[in-house]
């Protein structure tokens, strides 16, 4: 097999547009350059140092337990031995973004797609799409946690279902992913901690989400989250806080069909709104917020 493709977003005069691909590929580990390994090392060291006292214990302990280290870009096959033994999940290599249904089907079968290629040195702080660092460092450790692992599978199954129901259901389900898997916070005995992959793989947002006075931090409520629009191009205006992974799993267990029907009758909420019934950990000052761009 030749080296797989590196499928990146396309830069156009309308900005960056996603390109989708469905292939599952062997990780071309021997093709990584010294620069690729150095990028991994730099990002790994930087984030691990920052995340002590910021990421939840489950994230850090799982990362160690699965043998993910700064030494070099990990081999999917080696991580898979530990992951399969722990929770039965398998990492599969992909070339870039997957169409929604393809992504859901992988999750529903306890397969997590990981982009095989890593960002370029000039993209250390930001890129507009998932790469190996985001996928592997950010998403994979918590798949070692039995409850979170079951949540991800249930999410995949729910995604297949929402896809068949229609675009509104899909948008509501995607908001749930965004505000939990990607940008979730968890309340612990030591204070708020990060578990969302989009946060742990970002230096700026790892600091912002816990330290900034600008953002809202609001207790997790399923329907509230599913109504809330979000931003893909700036730090989040609002973070939702779970009490435990079990709470998240239990809250998302019931059939969503009646919820989708009910939410179809209600307007979506701006990313930065605080609502009357919210359990407010912090009401943000809103400093620096842009008015447009909620998705
Ligand atoms: N219970 C949801 C449904 O019936 C599926 C789901 C589980 C969705 C967990 C997200 C997370 O659609
Ligand atoms: Fe992600």
């Amino acid at each position: 097999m030749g080296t797989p493709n590196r499928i990146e977003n396309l830069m156009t005069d309308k900005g960056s547009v996603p390109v989708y691909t469905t292939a599952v590929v062997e990780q071309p580990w021997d093709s990584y350059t010294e620069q690729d390994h150095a990028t991994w090392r730099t990002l790994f060291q930087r984030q691990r140092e920052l995340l002590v006292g910021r990421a939840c214990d489950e994230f850090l302990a799982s990362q160690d337990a699965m043998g993910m280290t700064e030494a070099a870009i990990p081999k999917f096959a080696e991580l898979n031995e530990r992951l399969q033994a722990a929770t039965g999940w398998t990492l599969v290599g992909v070339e870039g973004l997957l169409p929604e249904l393809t992504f859901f089907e992988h999750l529903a079968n306890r397969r997590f797609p990981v982009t095989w290629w890593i960002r370029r040195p000039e993209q250390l702080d930001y890129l507009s799409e998932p790469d190996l660092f985001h996928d592997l460092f950010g998403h994979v450790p918590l798949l070692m946690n039995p409850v979170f692992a079951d949540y991800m599978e249930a999410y995949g199954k729910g995604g297949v279902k929402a896809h068949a129901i229609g675009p509104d259901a899909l948008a509501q389900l995607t908001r749930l992913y965004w505000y939990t898997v990607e940008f979730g916070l968890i309340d612990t005995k030591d204070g708020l901690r990060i578990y969302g992959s989009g946060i742990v793989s970002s230096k700026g947002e790892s600091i912002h989400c816990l330290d900034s006075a600008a953002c809202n931090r609001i207790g997790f409520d399923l329907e509230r989250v599913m109504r809330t629009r979000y931003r893909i191009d700036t730090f989040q205006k609002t973070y939702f806080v779970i009490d435990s992974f079990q709470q998240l799993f239990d809250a998302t267990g019931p059939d969503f069909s009646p919820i989708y029907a009910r939410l179809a009758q209600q307007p979506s909420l701006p990313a930065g709104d605080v609502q009357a019934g919210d359990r407010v950990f912090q009401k943000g000052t809103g400093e620096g917020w842009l008015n447009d761009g909620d998705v």
Side-chain angles (χ1 to χ4, degrees):
M1 214 195 303
T3 303
N5 296 311
R6 174 182 178 121
I7 298 187
E8 296 172 81
N9 287 358
L10 268 183
M11 249 334 198
T12 69
D13 50 4
K14 292 197 179 64
S16 161
V17 299
V19 182
Y20 296 95
T21 168
T22 58
V24 166
V25 300
E26 201 70 47
Q27 182 188 25
W29 198 85
D30 292 330
S31 77
Y32 294 130
T33 62
E34 201 26 63
Q35 189 176 72
D36 290 334
H37 289 297
T39 298
W40 170 268
R41 204 175 305 126
T42 301
L43 290 171
F44 189 99
Q45 286 171 342
R46 188 169 89 173
Q47 287 310 106
R48 280 296 297 227
E49 198 171 313
L50 185 59
L51 290 173
V52 175
R54 291 179 176 274
C56 64
D57 291 342
E58 289 92 338
F59 175 86
L60 297 171
S62 298
Q63 201 163 52
D64 293 338
M66 72 187 308
M68 202 185 275
T69 74
E70 67 186 48
I73 293 175
K75 293 184 174 164
F76 297 172
E78 288 178 8
L79 298 179
N80 271 337
E81 284 179 25
R82 309 262 179 108
L83 190 54
Q84 281 163 357
T87 57
W89 274 75
T90 306
L91 310 181
V92 294
V94 294
E95 297 182 316
L97 276 182
L98 303 179
E100 274 159 332
L101 187 56
T102 310
F103 179 65
F104 294 144
E105 283 169 344
H106 281 302
L107 298 185
N109 290 287
R110 287 174 105 84
R111 291 189 302 263
F112 196 81
V114 176
T115 307
W116 73 264
W117 52 265
I118 195 160
R119 67 193 68 183
R120 304 174 203 287
E122 65 273 19
Q123 299 172 308
L124 275 195
D125 292 319
Y126 183 77
L127 77 172
S128 61
E129 62 202 309
D131 74 330
L132 179 136
F133 185 73
H134 169 75
D135 289 341
L136 207 53
F137 183 97
H139 282 283
V140 170
L142 280 181
L143 294 174
M144 294 282 282
N145 177 281
V147 178
F148 193 84
D150 286 351
Y151 172 66
M152 291 295 281
E153 177 191 342
Y155 184 89
K157 292 184 168 141
V160 172
K161 194 166 105 185
H163 189 269
I165 295 174
D168 290 347
L170 203 52
Q172 289 151 12
L173 191 73
T174 302
R175 292 186 193 125
L176 174 64
Y177 191 88
W178 190 265
Y179 281 119
T180 61
V181 177
E182 294 288 355
F183 291 97
L185 297 179
I186 184 167
D187 193 19
T188 77
K189 61 181 185 342
D190 302 317
L192 297 188
R193 293 288 184 269
I194 305 163
Y195 73 92
S197 329
I199 308 177
V200 292
S201 60
S202 157
K203 179 183 176 189
E205 197 138 10
S206 293
I207 298 169
H208 177 88
C209 72
L210 294 176
D211 295 3
S212 172
C215 53
N216 301 318
R217 298 187 199 97
I218 294 173
F220 176 85
D221 175 90
L222 181 65
E223 293 189 32
R224 165 70 162 91
V225 169
M226 289 171 75
R227 290 178 67 192
T228 308
R229 300 197 299 268
Y230 58 88
R231 307 199 54 99
I232 59 171
D233 58 339
T234 64
F235 294 149
Q236 300 307 305
K237 293 177 176 177
T238 299
Y239 300 91
F240 288 97
V241 181
I242 60 171
D243 296 324
S244 64
F245 295 125
Q246 194 64 50
Q247 177 208 18
L248 180 60
F249 184 79
D250 292 344
T252 52
D255 178 14
F256 281 9
S257 307
I259 301 180
Y260 293 138
R262 187 159 56 241
L263 296 189
Q265 309 305 315
Q266 299 175 18
S268 63
L269 303 171
D273 262 25
V274 174
Q275 297 285 303
D278 287 343
R279 181 160 62 106
V280 178
F281 289 79
Q282 168 171 288
K283 180 168 166 33
T285 61
E287 193 190 334
W289 285 1
L290 303 174
N291 283 327
D292 60 338
D294 287 6
V295 180

